[in-house]
Amino acid sequence: KSFSVNLWVKVGAVLEGVDNSGVSHFLEHMVFKGTEKYSAEQINQEIENLGGWQNAATSMDYTNYYLTVPPSAWETGLQVVQQLTLYPRLPADQFDLEKQVIISELKRDRDNPERIIWKKFNPLIYPDHPYGKAIIGTRQTLDQLEYNQLVDFHSTYYRPENLVLIVAGKFSVVDLLKRVEQLFLSSSTPAPGAGSRTVPEVPLLTGSRELQGNHPVGQVYGLYGTVGYGIDHPESVQLDLLVKILGGSRSSRLYEQLVYRKQLADSIVADFITRKEAGPLLISYRCSPENLDKLEAAIDSTMKQIVEEGIGEEELKRARVQLETELIYSSQTAAGQTDQLGYGLVLDNLDYIINYIAQLRQVSRADLTALAEEMFIGRKWARYRLLSGGESDGEN
């Protein structure tokens, strides 16, 4: 038995300006430097002494702080996330020290091929949108970031009306609601007045975009993708199904044909990242240099085959069962439940989560064939290749 708390803040990298890129992720680090009630050491000790755990993450659309503790410690769990989000001290003397920690993260990314291709690919698929930026920022933006920008960002966005609180586990609803009101809605909490959360619409690519770099590795890493749909789009669930069939498992078209049968790739995965606005449909692959051209031709051929020949009934059933099972399995824990519900609420579409399985079961083969034609033929795609040899194209 456990009690999980997941507090989502409706702000992420997408709401940053050019002059404070990376501040959302920086702030996520800094709140753990102490709060009005807890020192930096006490924040971790308070949870670990209970046998619990905690973490945080920054995304494009949101930042979330989550922890799990024994049911008897539910009040402590609530108070810790309240302190982290509404009452961090943000000590000025820790600002430059933490900046160096984050710059070290950037340096480590130079040796990670997957992170290199993601950073290079993102601006290709989102050339005119904030989704194209790096969540962590760049060395230049971090060097220029000032302490007052961090404080201003917190005071602008970290307010009760921008928070989504999800809890799961064993607790008294009456007691919990009373304590939540005391912690998050009392007269001492920050007053309303948060900044605008409007995210611009994502433009489709108007032409194919390609770029490549080098890295001293023995294999080629590639990322190939196009703009998909946002969470509010009626076909976003259909796109999950299509991507699962294309390359979302080891029984998918791409993996079965290009890894098992033709042995052109060492790995290949298709994914669709659901976001507030149009998320990316992605195909990532790793292969030997001599197989690159054949592999990329085979990827295009596989997508064309789906459009021309359609999808089999058993193939659709298998993908549907896989997605349903993943959702059900993740909801078996208190932490998984807070993840699912919080994701829908922070993106202002709880119905997406509640009706997900029902929507999956309504999708037909004809629906997916039409969607495949739109995505695989009708959309322009971007591609980044990280070739074997030469000096790294990773950046600080």
Side-chain angles (χ1 to χ4, degrees):
K1 297 294 184 178
S2 62
F3 177 79
S4 288
V5 184
N6 202 329
L7 188 61
W8 305 69
V9 188
K10 293 184 176 182
V11 62
V14 74
L15 295 183
E16 299 167 351
V18 175
D19 62 342
N20 67 347
S21 180
V23 69
S24 203
H25 172 258
F26 201 131
L27 181 57
E28 177 220 312
H29 279 233
M30 284 290 290
V31 300
F32 287 93
K33 298 300 179 182
T35 71
E36 286 188 4
K37 183 176 176 61
Y38 303 113
S39 68
E41 295 77 15
Q42 288 172 329
I43 293 172
N44 291 319
Q45 290 173 356
E46 196 77 17
I47 300 303
E48 291 176 2
N49 289 346
L50 294 167
W53 58 270
Q54 65 179 328
N55 211 333
T58 305
S59 180
M60 282 292 174
D61 294 313
Y62 55 82
T63 308
N64 69 312
Y65 300 87
Y66 49 99
L67 57 83
T68 296
V69 293
S72 60
W74 65 270
E75 288 188 85
T76 299
L78 285 177
Q79 186 157 71
V80 167
V81 295
Q82 177 245 27
Q83 287 285 304
L84 288 172
T85 52
L86 296 182
Y87 302 107
R89 290 191 181 278
L90 305 178
D93 61 354
Q94 293 292 310
F95 180 75
D96 288 335
L97 293 174
E98 198 60 31
K99 180 181 287 190
Q100 293 308 311
V101 170
I102 297 172
I103 288 173
S104 294
E105 285 187 40
L106 278 175
K107 290 179 178 178
R108 289 195 298 272
D109 288 351
R110 293 181 304 177
D111 300 319
N112 187 314
E114 285 89 355
R115 293 193 177 186
I116 291 173
I117 60 174
W118 179 249
K119 287 184 178 181
K120 298 289 188 178
F121 175 81
N122 227 23
L124 284 180
I125 194 171
Y126 294 110
D128 301 308
H129 193 274
Y131 278 169
K133 67 194 301 184
I135 292 173
I136 194 173
T138 66
R139 179 60 187 268
Q140 181 180 3
T141 62
L142 288 171
D143 282 340
Q144 295 174 350
L145 191 66
E146 297 180 355
Y147 176 72
N148 68 294
Q149 292 174 284
L150 184 85
V151 175
D152 289 346
F153 195 80
H154 177 267
S155 63
T156 299
Y157 292 105
Y158 277 57
R159 296 172 177 271
E161 68 268 29
N162 259 2
L163 304 182
V164 172
L165 176 66
I166 306 292
V167 301
K170 186 178 180 181
F171 55 87
S172 163
V173 174
V174 173
D175 291 343
L176 181 123
L177 290 176
K178 181 179 179 180
R179 191 64 177 130
V180 167
E181 185 173 359
Q182 292 170 346
L183 290 171
F184 295 95
L185 300 173
S186 68
S187 59
S188 62
T189 53
S196 170
R197 289 181 48 246
T198 303
V199 179
E201 185 176 345
V202 175
L204 298 181
L205 291 176
T206 56
S208 299
R209 298 167 61 86
E210 294 191 4
L211 194 64
Q212 63 187 36
N214 295 94
H215 196 266
V217 292
Q219 291 184 304
V220 175
Y221 289 76
L223 194 54
Y224 187 39
T226 190
V227 174
Y229 294 133
I231 193 171
D232 296 330
H233 196 284
E235 294 179 2
S236 63
V237 175
Q238 291 184 23
L239 191 52
D240 277 344
L241 263 175
L242 179 62
V243 169
K244 179 64 75 172
I245 291 167
L246 175 65
S249 72
R250 295 200 171 196
S251 60
S252 66
R253 292 277 188 110
L254 290 175
Y255 204 95
E256 179 74 25
Q257 295 181 20
L258 308 186
V259 176
Y260 286 144
R261 294 183 187 175
K262 297 182 180 180
Q263 298 183 343
L264 293 175
D266 295 303
S267 70
I268 189 163
V269 177
D271 194 15
F272 167 51
I273 302 176
T274 307
R275 290 177 175 164
K276 180 62 179 174
E277 294 298 326
L281 188 168
L282 305 166
I283 301 171
S284 59
Y285 50 90
R286 191 177 78 248
C287 68
S288 60
E290 60 269 20
N291 284 337
L292 176 60
D293 291 341
K294 293 178 183 178
L295 173 62
E296 292 187 342
I299 291 172
D300 292 338
S301 177
T302 301
M303 291 194 292
K304 184 178 180 181
Q305 182 185 45
I306 290 176
V307 174
E308 294 178 346
E309 300 178 8
I311 290 165
E313 189 61 40
E314 288 303 314
E315 197 173 27
L316 172 57
K317 287 181 180 178
R318 181 172 62 244
R320 184 183 287 134
V321 167
Q322 288 171 343
L323 287 172
E324 288 184 14
T325 302
E326 289 170 8
L327 186 70
I328 293 170
Y329 181 78
S330 68
S331 67
Q332 298 304 300
T333 65
Q337 292 167 20
T338 64
D339 266 345
Q340 289 180 10
L341 294 173
Y343 189 74
L345 282 169
V346 79
L347 297 184
D348 302 315
N349 193 339
L350 184 58
D351 287 344
Y352 171 83
I353 298 297
I354 294 175
N355 300 323
Y356 189 84
I357 290 179
Q359 291 184 59
L360 279 179
R361 293 175 179 175
Q362 293 173 0
V363 180
S364 69
R365 293 161 59 194
D367 291 333
L368 293 182
T369 300
L371 182 59
E373 183 171 9
E374 163 63 18
M375 291 294 159
F376 302 161
I377 306 298
R379 298 282 171 105
K380 301 297 183 182
W381 286 60
R383 188 195 317 261
Y384 184 82
R385 308 178 187 90
L386 191 61
L387 303 178
S388 173
E391 296 186 4
S392 174
D393 276 1
E395 60 186 24
N396 289 337

